[in-house]
């Protein structure tokens, strides 16, 4: 298969490396200097240092349409904030298109209380509904995928052709890809788990213990599910790879950027200091407010996400944010309550 991956960050590079042994893969970078440096060194020094790129992987910049000419699958590996422009640029593409980003687009009109940021499939519906498109998501750190460590992902789309193309492109001995047509649930899981990982990092940074961590993850899953159901997702999706699986990985894994933000805030760093130390995007920082805003509009309670937003906004200290959760009145255990 001929595959073009847009975006030479950690995840785009990792997936391109993984597929290059079996397919003809082009990794396209927006920055020509970055593409030249990667191609010359045969290594993405900034995002995946120490990992040699396979000889078969082509790295390009310049004209995007020329780079993806003849591609049988186009993969968009940009941050959420860049997805809209990428999909606009892909209008008219006949090959299946899939994005890797997890999160919520910043609200286009931040001054309007009714202006919500959108999930990726909602952006797709707005700007390029004619594309056959979907998402590749699930519990995965780019470094481990690039190293060929066992990983399982979900290919979600309403189009069977997109799901099939993603399975054909990436399913192999180390990387298993499962098809799912609940794109809403898969994307909600990918967005909300980032917010919950910040809360879990905070919990661990304050040394509250493993019991507290387990409770936080479990109640966070209930929040995620409530939010997803209100948007039309199916409950069983949240018990799968893109729900529970991705939440556990991002909330507990040492490679998680969102978890690290929580840990650093617990240590007394400011949000600006924590974000600056990462060197990569932590999507939970940017989508937490939008998730809470949309949940309020839907009448969905998300107390953990609310606490994270109050923490990020500086309205609560780390200790106060935890106290706001542990001091809540008791309620029946339910994903709906």
């Amino acid at each position: 298969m001929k595959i073009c991956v847009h975006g030479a960050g950690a995840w785009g590079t990792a997936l391109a490396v993984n597929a290059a042994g079996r397919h003809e893969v082009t990794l396209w970078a927006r920055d020509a200097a970055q593409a030249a440096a990667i191609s010359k060194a045969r290594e993405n020094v900034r995002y995946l240092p120490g990992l040699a790129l396979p000889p078969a992987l082509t790295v390009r910049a310049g004209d995007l349409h020329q780079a993806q000419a003849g591609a049988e699958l186009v993969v968009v590996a940009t941050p959420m904030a860049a997805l809209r422009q990428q999909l606009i640029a892909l209008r008219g593409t006949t090959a299946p298109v899939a994005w890797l980003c997890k999160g919520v687009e910043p609200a286009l009109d931040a001054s309007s209380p009714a202006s919500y940021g959108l999930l990726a499939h909602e952006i797709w519906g707005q700007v390029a509904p004619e594309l056959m498109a979907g998402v590749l998501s699930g519990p995965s750190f780019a470094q481990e995928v690039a190293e060929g460590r066992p990983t399982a992902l979900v290919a979600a789309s309403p189009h069977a052709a997109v799901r099939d193309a993603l399975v054909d492109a990436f399913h192999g001995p180390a990387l298993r890809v499962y098809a799912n047509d609940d794109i809403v649930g898969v994307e909600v899981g990918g967005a909300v788990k980032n917010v919950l990982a910040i809360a879990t990092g905070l919990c661990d940074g304050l040394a509250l213990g493993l019991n507290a961590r387990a409770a936080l993850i479990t109640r966070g899953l209930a929040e995620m599910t409530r939010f997803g159901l209100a948007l039309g997702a199916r409950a069983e999706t949240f018990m799968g790879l893109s729900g529970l699986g991705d939440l556990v990985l991002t909330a507990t894994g040492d490679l998680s950027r969102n978890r690290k933000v929580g840990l650093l805030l617990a240590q007394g760093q400011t949000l600006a200091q924590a974000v600056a130390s990462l060197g990569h995007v932590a999507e939970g920082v940017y989508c937490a407010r939008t998730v809470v805003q949309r949940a309020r509009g839907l009448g969905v309670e998300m107390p953990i996400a609310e606490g994270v937003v109050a923490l990020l906004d500086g309205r609560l200290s780390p200790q106060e944010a935890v106290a706001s959760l542990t001091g809540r009145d008791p309620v029946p255990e339910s994903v709906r309550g």
Side-chain angles (χ1 to χ4, degrees):
M1 181 181 290
K2 187 173 183 180
I3 303 169
C4 183
V5 179
H6 297 189
W11 194 203
T13 303
L15 207 59
V17 166
N18 185 279
R22 306 183 304 278
H23 304 287
E24 181 182 346
V25 183
T26 297
L27 179 64
W28 181 86
R30 179 180 57 84
D31 185 332
Q34 180 196 19
I38 294 172
S39 186
K40 181 178 179 180
R42 302 309 299 172
E43 177 185 356
N44 191 333
V45 176
R46 178 177 179 184
Y47 292 107
L48 287 175
L51 180 78
L53 302 187
L57 177 60
T58 301
V59 183
R60 297 187 60 174
D63 186 85
L64 178 58
H65 292 285
Q66 185 178 9
Q68 67 182 35
E72 297 163 271
L73 175 65
V74 176
V75 178
V76 179
T78 64
M80 180 62 71
L83 179 63
R84 180 177 293 268
Q85 288 305 315
Q86 282 289 305
L87 292 179
I88 289 172
L90 286 169
R91 285 173 176 165
T93 299
T94 56
V97 174
W99 47 83
L100 307 180
C101 44
K102 302 174 182 178
V104 181
E105 182 185 48
L108 296 180
D109 181 5
S111 65
S112 170
S115 176
Y116 300 136
L118 302 180
L119 292 161
H121 74 276
E122 295 173 319
I123 301 170
W124 164 40
Q126 274 194 355
V127 303
E130 74 281 3
L131 293 177
M132 286 196 305
V135 61
L136 186 64
S137 190
S140 50
F141 288 135
Q143 183 73 38
E144 293 193 357
V145 170
E147 292 171 353
R149 296 175 183 257
T151 303
L153 299 176
V154 178
S157 173
H159 300 290
V162 177
R163 301 192 298 268
D164 292 345
L166 287 168
V167 171
D168 290 345
F170 300 113
H171 188 89
L175 183 60
R176 298 188 63 82
V177 182
Y178 295 85
N180 191 325
D181 62 357
D182 182 14
I183 192 171
V184 178
V186 169
E187 289 196 338
V188 167
V192 177
K193 59 94 181 182
N194 288 326
V195 181
L196 300 173
I198 295 174
T200 311
L202 178 69
C203 170
D204 289 346
L206 294 174
L208 299 183
L210 299 178
N211 293 349
R213 179 203 282 181
L216 185 60
I217 290 174
T218 305
R219 294 313 301 162
L221 180 62
E223 285 193 18
M224 176 192 293
T225 305
R226 285 198 298 272
F227 184 56
L229 292 176
L231 289 171
R234 297 197 301 265
E236 62 266 24
T237 299
F238 299 102
M239 297 308 297
L241 290 166
S242 60
L244 178 60
D246 212 354
L247 173 58
V248 169
L249 180 76
T250 310
T252 66
D254 291 336
L255 295 175
S256 167
R257 297 189 294 270
N258 292 283
R259 169 180 165 77
K260 187 175 181 181
V261 168
L263 289 169
L264 294 175
L265 292 175
Q267 294 168 12
Q269 290 196 20
T270 66
L271 178 59
Q273 289 171 332
V275 171
S277 71
L278 296 178
H280 300 260
V281 174
E283 290 284 3
V285 172
Y286 303 103
C287 77
R289 296 173 187 84
T290 299
V291 166
V292 166
Q293 184 185 27
R294 291 197 72 168
R296 288 172 180 168
L298 293 165
V300 174
E301 288 193 10
M302 299 187 71
I304 298 174
E306 292 262 10
V308 169
V309 171
L311 175 69
L312 297 178
D313 287 347
R315 291 183 280 114
L316 293 178
S317 69
Q319 293 77 11
E320 289 170 337
V322 169
S324 72
L325 296 174
T326 58
R328 294 185 74 232
D329 292 336
V331 296
E333 185 185 31
S334 168
V335 298
R336 298 183 182 276

